Amino acid sequence: MLPTPLETSLETLYITVNQRIQSGENKHLKVDSKKNTWKLPYIKQDEEVNNPFFDKIPLINLSDVLSYVNAQTNFMQHFTHILSKNVRTTACLEHVIAYLIASGTGIGTGKIASSSDVTKAALDAVEHNFIRLESLQNANNAVINKMAGLSIFKHFNLSEYGIHSSVDGQKLSTRYKTVLARPSKKYYGTSVGVVAYSLIANHVPINSIIIGPNDHENQYIVDIY
């Protein structure tokens, strides 16, 4: 049975496409002739188009940002000592800032200590004595309440009768094994992680809880609201 014109045309295209891949003319595929495999070439992020608005903003150290926010909100006062009675020790501002940067960026206290004048012992003391769920929530509330009081906050309102909010779950891998940390090949590969389930209003996370990645997020809408 003779091939149809469509089959002949398709066979010709197969040959042409394969020849362009083997000769390297097709730049959209990267072929490894030794392993007889192919993959898509990696596109660097710096080749992406960025909004020119951000090019006009100068780079600022995170420590300076946290110092400025503390001057406006005084959120550092909420990092109180875990032993409230008969303890006069207060948290050192520089040490708390270093710890927040280390934990918030995922760098870790070890690398922060090796690249700054803050010792690992000082960061461990901050973690053991001043960092806990209550102090973090109170510090975050101080910042969020200040943001909600800014005049620009209302300009993000989508209606005149109230503030629209939404919930969003952010997948985060954990360095330590916790009760909620679960494996998920889709999000964490061979590691384990949790989900930071946040209630967002006008781009501000006004409430957040930690849930397991195997839990359905819809089950926690009432809790977070």
Side-chain angles (χ1 to χ4, degrees):
M1 183 177 180
L2 295 176
T4 63
L6 184 59
E7 291 175 338
T8 303
S9 177
L10 182 60
E11 183 66 24
T12 303
L13 290 175
Y14 278 140
I15 297 174
T16 303
V17 170
N18 289 328
Q19 288 177 346
R20 293 182 69 251
I21 294 175
Q22 293 176 355
S23 64
E25 184 179 356
N26 187 346
K27 303 299 182 182
H28 298 284
L29 292 176
K30 188 174 182 180
V31 180
D32 189 343
S33 57
K34 295 182 179 180
K35 298 181 180 180
N36 195 25
T37 58
W38 64 272
K39 62 181 180 180
L40 298 175
Y42 176 74
I43 301 177
K44 296 183 179 180
Q45 293 184 354
D46 54 7
E47 296 180 1
E48 298 179 356
V49 178
N50 194 9
N51 194 314
F53 170 78
F54 296 103
D55 295 333
K56 300 178 182 180
I57 301 178
L59 296 177
I60 303 176
N61 293 328
L62 287 177
S63 58
D64 296 335
V65 174
L66 290 177
S67 297
Y68 175 79
V69 174
N70 181 58
Q72 300 296 319
T73 64
N74 200 20
F75 75 94
M76 288 291 183
Q77 68 174 349
H78 297 287
F79 290 103
T80 57
H81 200 283
I82 190 171
L83 300 177
S84 58
K85 295 183 179 180
N86 301 326
V87 174
R88 297 182 179 179
T89 305
T90 57
C92 176
L93 179 62
E94 290 76 12
H95 295 173
V96 175
I97 289 177
Y99 179 85
L100 293 178
I101 293 176
S103 299
T105 60
I107 296 176
T109 56
K111 291 185 178 179
I112 287 291
S114 62
S115 59
S116 67
D117 56 353
V118 181
T119 63
K120 182 67 164 55
L123 295 176
D124 291 340
V126 170
E127 182 177 38
H128 296 155
N129 297 325
F130 300 98
I131 303 300
R132 57 191 183 278
L133 181 60
E134 181 183 3
S135 60
L136 289 172
Q137 287 178 337
N138 292 335
N140 275 282
N141 288 338
V143 177
I144 292 171
N145 291 337
K146 180 67 176 182
M147 296 176 64
L150 297 176
S151 58
I152 195 175
F153 184 81
K154 62 182 180 181
H155 291 286
F156 291 97
N157 292 348
L158 299 178
S159 64
E160 298 180 355
Y161 56 82
I163 299 175
H164 286 275
S165 63
S166 62
V167 290
D168 180 60
Q170 183 181 8
K171 279 67 179 179
L172 302 172
S173 58
T174 59
R175 291 182 296 165
Y176 309 106
K177 292 183 178 180
T178 65
V179 176
L180 295 177
R182 295 288 187 274
S184 177
K185 292 183 179 180
K186 180 179 180 181
Y187 301 112
Y188 315 118
T190 57
S191 303
V192 296
V194 295
V195 175
Y197 194 51
S198 302
L199 177 64
I200 311 296
N202 287 7
H203 306 288
V204 178
I206 59 178
N207 193 16
S208 182
I209 58 176
I210 301 298
I211 63 176
N214 59 321
D215 295 329
H216 202 285
E217 297 179 358
N218 289 345
Q219 300 175 359
Y220 297 90
I221 290 181
V222 176
D223 297 335
I224 196 172
Y225 181 76

